[in-house]
Amino acid sequence: MKLKKICLSCNKELKGRSDKKFCDQYCKSAYHYKLSQEQAPKFFNQVDNQLKLNRKILKEYNKAGKATVRAEIIIDLGFDPNFFTHYWKNQKGDVYLFVYEYGFLSKKENGRKKIILILWQEYMNHNKFKQ
């Protein structure tokens, strides 16, 4: 007696090899996508998603290359200053944190927390890689 095998995604009867699990590539992809959505987000995905959100917010508020915003405005949008890709220290000793090409520096002015936004500049490169 031969057992009927069914597709793990769409439940259609499978024909062909005995070890076949999906009827086509679409069903295989859909099955694994659904499986990944049901699992808790992996740490890498959480970090990557936060970096993308941070960059989007910094880009939105820094159209001119340099800007100052109240910290609560961008934090309310989901910006998390603990997620950044690299940093740059200027000659005054201020450390700007960067999310890719968009940098920020937290400051307190007149008792209010503000964030200075800048854009990465070529002169900020400390290490020049020779080819």
Side-chain angles (χ1 to χ4, degrees):
M1 182 165 167
K2 191 174 181 183
L3 293 174
K4 289 185 179 179
K5 293 199 68 164
I6 59 168
C7 175
L8 295 177
S9 180
C10 69
N11 297 322
K12 289 183 183 175
E13 185 178 347
L14 295 175
K15 295 180 177 158
R17 296 188 341 248
S18 61
D19 62 343
K20 194 171 183 181
K21 296 180 182 179
F22 305 98
C23 49
D24 58 25
Q25 194 63 33
Y26 174 80
C27 280
K28 181 178 180 181
S29 180
Y31 174 82
H32 287 291
Y33 178 77
K34 184 180 175 193
L35 197 61
S36 73
Q37 294 301 307
E38 292 171 355
Q39 296 173 349
K42 293 190 169 45
F43 180 73
F44 170 82
N45 291 340
Q46 291 172 328
V47 171
D48 193 47
N49 289 338
Q50 186 62 55
L51 285 171
K52 287 176 184 176
L53 178 61
N54 281 0
R55 182 183 181 278
K56 178 182 173 188
I57 292 168
L58 292 175
K59 181 180 180 183
E60 178 66 29
Y61 282 86
N62 188 7
K63 300 233 186 250
K66 185 171 185 180
T68 303
V69 295
R70 288 195 325 251
E72 67 229 26
I73 291 174
I74 62 174
I75 289 172
D76 287 347
L77 294 172
F79 180 80
D80 187 339
N82 296 313
F83 290 83
F84 55 92
T85 55
H86 59 290
Y87 67 92
W88 172 72
K89 188 175 183 179
N90 68 11
Q91 291 176 342
K92 295 179 191 175
D94 296 326
V95 177
Y96 286 83
L97 304 177
F98 278 82
V99 181
Y100 305 106
E101 73 272 33
Y102 295 97
F104 63 97
L105 173 68
S106 295
K107 285 270 189 184
K108 240 186 178 168
E109 284 182 11
N110 303 325
R112 293 193 140 178
K113 190 172 179 184
K114 297 192 176 190
I115 296 181
I116 299 169
L117 307 176
I118 63 170
L119 198 56
W120 183 262
Q121 301 294 317
E122 188 61 36
Y123 70 85
M124 296 174 180
N125 285 332
H126 292 296
N127 299 327
K128 300 279 186 187
F129 295 104
K130 296 180 181 177
Q131 295 181 5

